Amino acid sequence: MSNSLSSLRLLSICLLLSQFSFAQKEEDNIGSEVVNVVKPYTPTISDASKIQQAPVLDEEENTKKEKINYTIFSFPVASTFTPAKGKAEGVDKTPQAHLFDNYATLGFGNFRTLNGELFVTQDLSQKDYVSGMFRHLSSQGGVKGAELDNRYYDTAIDLSYGGNYNNLSSNINLGFHNQIYSWYGLPEGFGSALIPLDRGNLIQSIDPQHSYSTIYLGGKLSFNGDLLNEVNMKFSHFSDTFDSSENRFYVTPSLEFNFMDEIIKTDVTVDYVAGKFAKNYANDNTSPVKYGFANFGIAPSFVMEEQGWTVNIGAGIFYSSDIENKNNQFLVYPKVTASYNLVDDLMVFYAGAEGGLEQNSYQDFVDENPFLSPTLNIMPTDKQYDLYAGLKGKLANTVSYNLKGSYVNERNKALFRGNDYNEDAANEDYAFGNSMQVVYDDMRTVSFSGDLKADFSDDVTFGISGSFMSYTNDVQKEAWNLPTVKLNSTIDFNVTPKWYGGLAVFYVGERKDFQLNTDIVYIQEPSPITLASYFDVNAHVGYKYNDQLTGFLKLNNIANQSYQKWLNYPVQGFQIVVGANYKFDF
């Protein structure tokens, strides 16, 4: 069997080899064939079959919309996801300083100066509150060259009650004010004709101290109604140690209503003053010198805006009654103001013509000049018109300015002037050339003023202002005690969060005054007295120990000038006050 298989395999191999040999011979005799290549094929665009941009569609088949019905199989799925709580990104905020309701100030200085102040307030409810204020400033004199006592005391107490309601807010004040001053300003060369002993005895006999007292009750009502906006009112009784007295009452409602589609604002004034002086300056009257005036005024106005202009048009109408002299008169004043924005808020032009009846009073005069004799002539000032124009705006975001020129015409302008005197020992204590009087004149005043304010940073603020005036009088030789130049500048700064300070400088130009010694027979009336110009430099430094306690140092008249603010009245020299302020809550 094995031999048969071996024979069969050998036969198969022989057949396969013979076939391979035959095929190889056929390839060797394949022959030849020529192929001609004309050029390589280069296709062109025309050979391409373009696809139509807008293929033909079978509208019936392709626009036919299939109707599809959606169904939702809803079933609840339990969720175990719990979102993490969000956390706000931290922001650094400056804590707001606590505002204390009350404070107390106490300071001491040279010339035995004492300065104290206390303010307290207490809420009675969410709408009502009460408050109280006590103030005191005194000095024991020390004016260089003064031969008479020159101490002064100024003390005031004020109590207030207020409330804020839905349509009304109110405030009522009750107060007392006491001022003690001295007529220490003797004229230059006083008693020079007397022998030293007589002169010394005359000066020793003068008691220059005098006192003023004020009791007042006032209030303010503010409404949210359609007609009455605000009402201010005050009654005061003013008196001195020479049997002078004065009562004054005024009320000033402010109304606002709509008339022919215009909002009319109307200010109403009722001003009454009456008083008496026991003596006149010559001391020859047989009855008290009395005065009394009742003034009634109404000033309506409305605002127009046209082509960039804002114009306030109005007028003031006053009825003035001189009660003692039975003299009544009607007075009409302009009340017109206008403004035009030239360059956004960088430059605003403004102008106006305004006037009014200004009621003078003994108390107002004393507040300005405490060295007056209790023998004054009191009457109102008729400010016929004040014509002015100016430019105001900003030089930068932190720098503002205001330039103004004006022309003022006034009748019965009040001026302070020195009293004439003699050296008679029988005189009143104010009749030795050491007091002043009030005189009146019709005047025109031309003035130019400007001020500049700058906030260089949150820590430095600066301001400077100046005024230049020219006066024309009808009767008086000069505009007594009115300067032609006034300049002042201030700067306040924070050195550190704890330390702060400031500096104030002011300059007042020359003034004119006049005074005669009636014991002297003048061949020619002397010329007015020129009071020299002066400047004053004041500074203050403070240290904030904490939010409640602050210490301070005040320096006044640093140049130590003995200048005269009023005729014969030199001021104290260099003054220093050291003290502290404490804020607190109950």
Side-chain angles (χ1 to χ4, degrees):
M1 182 71 179
S2 60
N3 292 330
S4 297
L5 291 172
S6 300
S7 299
L8 182 59
R9 290 176 180 169
L10 179 62
L11 179 62
S12 299
I13 292 170
C14 291
L15 291 173
L16 178 62
L17 289 175
S18 64
Q19 180 67 28
F20 178 75
S21 301
F22 177 77
Q24 182 67 40
K25 288 182 180 179
E26 290 293 325
E27 270 184 65
D28 293 340
N29 298 313
I30 194 169
S32 62
E33 183 175 354
V34 178
V35 178
N36 295 322
V37 177
V38 176
K39 70 171 186 176
Y41 172 70
T42 304
T44 63
I45 294 177
S46 60
D47 296 324
S49 177
K50 297 172 69 176
I51 299 176
Q52 295 183 8
Q53 294 182 354
V56 177
L57 299 177
D58 186 346
E59 294 183 359
E60 293 182 359
E61 294 297 329
N62 290 283
T63 60
K64 186 177 180 179
K65 296 181 179 179
E66 291 289 339
K67 183 178 179 180
I68 302 175
N69 295 322
Y70 295 94
T71 60
I72 298 175
F73 179 68
S74 177
F75 60 92
V77 177
S79 175
T80 59
F81 172 73
T82 303
K85 293 182 179 180
K87 183 180 180 181
E89 184 68 23
V91 179
D92 294 332
K93 297 197 310 184
T94 303
Q96 184 176 0
H98 176 70
L99 299 178
F100 294 92
D101 293 332
N102 318 292
Y103 71 88
T105 299
L106 185 63
F108 301 92
N110 60 338
F111 303 113
R112 288 182 289 171
T113 298
L114 173 62
N115 183 17
E117 191 168 315
L118 174 65
F119 175 82
V120 294
T121 183
Q122 179 64 47
D123 291 333
L124 301 177
S125 66
Q126 292 183 345
K127 297 181 178 180
D128 303 281
Y129 68 91
V130 293
S131 64
M133 168 78 79
F134 171 80
R135 292 172 296 160
H136 176 82
L137 176 63
S138 62
S139 176
Q140 301 306 306
V143 175
K144 183 178 180 181
E147 298 184 90
L148 297 176
D149 182 8
N150 50 88
R151 294 174 292 175
Y152 70 86
Y153 305 84
D154 193 322
T155 305
I157 299 175
D158 184 273
L159 303 175
S160 179
Y161 168 79
N164 296 297
Y165 310 99
N166 292 333
N167 296 317
L168 171 68
S169 62
S170 63
N171 181 272
I172 301 175
N173 297 87
L174 174 65
F176 173 76
H177 189 193
N178 178 254
Q179 301 164 280
I180 300 175
Y181 288 93
S182 296
W183 289 301
Y184 67 86
L186 292 174
E188 183 178 356
F190 178 80
S192 59
L194 302 175
I195 62 174
L197 179 61
D198 291 342
R199 182 182 183 276
N201 290 335
L202 177 60
I203 293 177
Q204 189 69 26
S205 68
I206 301 173
D207 181 9
Q209 194 172 90
H210 59 289
S211 174
Y212 304 107
S213 297
T214 308
I215 301 174
Y216 61 88
L217 175 65
K220 178 180 179 180
L221 301 174
S222 298
F223 302 88
N224 293 328
D226 296 331
L227 179 62
L228 187 59
N229 285 342
E230 187 177 276
V231 178
N232 290 280
M233 61 189 74
K234 185 176 183 180
F235 170 80
S236 62
H237 175 75
F238 184 75
S239 61
D240 63 22
T241 48
F242 286 79
D243 295 328
S244 307
S245 65
E246 178 183 83
N247 295 315
R248 187 176 185 184
F249 171 77
Y250 68 80
V251 56
T252 57
S254 178
L255 311 174
E256 189 173 290
F257 57 92
N258 193 300
F259 178 73
M260 297 181 63
D261 296 330
E262 294 289 348
I263 297 177
I264 308 297
K265 181 180 179 182
T266 303
D267 295 325
V268 180
T269 301
V270 178
D271 194 344
Y272 169 82
V273 63
K276 67 179 182 64
F277 296 102
K279 300 178 180 180
N280 61 17
Y281 190 76
N283 199 11
D284 58 4
N285 59 306
T286 58
S287 60
V289 178
K290 297 181 179 181
Y291 59 92
F293 294 89
N295 301 322
F296 306 90
I298 182 170
S301 64
F302 66 95
V303 177
M304 292 181 57
E305 295 185 359
E306 188 70 28
Q307 296 181 352
W309 286 90
T310 300
V311 183
N312 191 316
I313 302 175
I317 303 173
F318 278 81
Y319 174 78
S320 179
S321 175
D322 184 345
I323 299 172
E324 293 296 326
N325 297 313
K326 309 300 181 184
N327 182 22
N328 307 322
Q329 56 181 333
F330 278 98
L331 301 165
V332 180
Y333 301 100
K335 294 284 186 181
V336 180
T337 62
S339 64
Y340 183 78
N341 202 333
L342 296 174
V343 186
D344 295 330
D345 292 332
L346 301 180
M347 183 178 292
V348 177
F349 171 79
Y350 66 93
E354 299 184 87
L357 186 64
E358 299 177 354
Q359 179 61 67
N360 298 311
S361 69
Y362 185 27
Q363 180 181 356
D364 290 342
F365 286 146
V366 167
D367 288 342
E368 188 174 354
N369 183 351
F371 307 114
L372 300 172
S373 64
T375 59
L376 304 181
N377 179 21
I378 305 294
M379 66 175 65
T381 295
D382 177 11
K383 191 174 184 179
Q384 295 185 318
Y385 53 83
D386 177 4
L387 306 177
Y388 60 86
L391 291 174
K392 62 182 179 180
K394 293 182 178 181
L395 299 177
N397 289 334
T398 58
V399 181
S400 62
Y401 67 92
N402 189 0
L403 302 173
K404 180 181 178 182
S406 69
Y407 177 82
V408 182
N409 187 16
E410 296 172 286
R411 294 178 56 205
N412 297 326
K413 169 72 173 179
L415 302 169
F416 298 119
R417 208 208 81 175
N419 275 317
D420 296 336
Y421 68 99
N422 58 41
E423 299 170 358
D424 188 346
N427 287 344
E428 295 289 345
D429 294 316
Y430 52 78
F432 295 97
N434 56 338
S435 67
M436 305 187 73
Q437 61 178 310
V438 174
V439 297
Y440 297 86
D441 198 3
D442 295 345
M443 287 181 53
R444 275 78 59 199
T445 304
V446 177
S447 66
F448 297 94
S449 63
D451 62 74
L452 183 70
K453 297 179 180 179
D455 296 330
F456 295 118
S457 67
D458 292 338
D459 295 323
V460 181
T461 61
F462 172 78
I464 186 170
S465 64
S467 301
F468 305 88
M469 287 76 63
S470 175
Y471 311 100
T472 303
N473 300 75
D474 284 353
V475 178
Q476 302 294 325
K477 294 181 179 180
E478 299 284 350
W480 307 120
N481 283 288
L482 294 181
T484 56
V485 178
K486 294 177 70 175
L487 303 171
N488 66 78
S489 179
T490 60
I491 184 170
D492 293 287
F493 50 85
N494 295 320
V495 181
T496 69
K498 294 284 188 180
W499 287 94
Y500 67 90
L503 185 70
V505 181
F506 61 89
Y507 170 86
V508 177
E510 293 181 347
R511 290 92 59 224
K512 301 286 186 178
D513 208 325
F514 188 76
Q515 190 175 56
L516 294 177
N517 184 341
T518 57
D519 283 339
I520 299 176
V521 178
Y522 295 95
I523 299 175
Q524 183 178 358
E525 186 177 272
S527 300
I529 302 170
T530 300
L531 300 180
S533 59
Y534 64 88
F535 73 94
D536 203 335
V537 181
N538 304 319
H540 68 274
V541 177
Y543 176 75
K544 298 178 181 178
Y545 180 76
N546 54 35
D547 290 341
Q548 292 182 266
L549 182 62
T550 300
F552 63 83
L553 171 67
K554 294 183 179 180
L555 307 175
N556 296 329
N557 196 3
I558 296 176
N560 196 29
Q561 293 193 77
S562 185
Y563 60 83
Q564 294 186 32
K565 182 177 180 180
W566 304 107
L567 178 64
N568 304 324
Y569 280 90
V571 301
Q572 290 177 332
F574 175 67
Q575 304 151 45
I576 179 171
V577 176
V578 179
N581 176 276
Y582 181 73
K583 296 179 243 184
F584 60 96
D585 291 328
F586 287 125

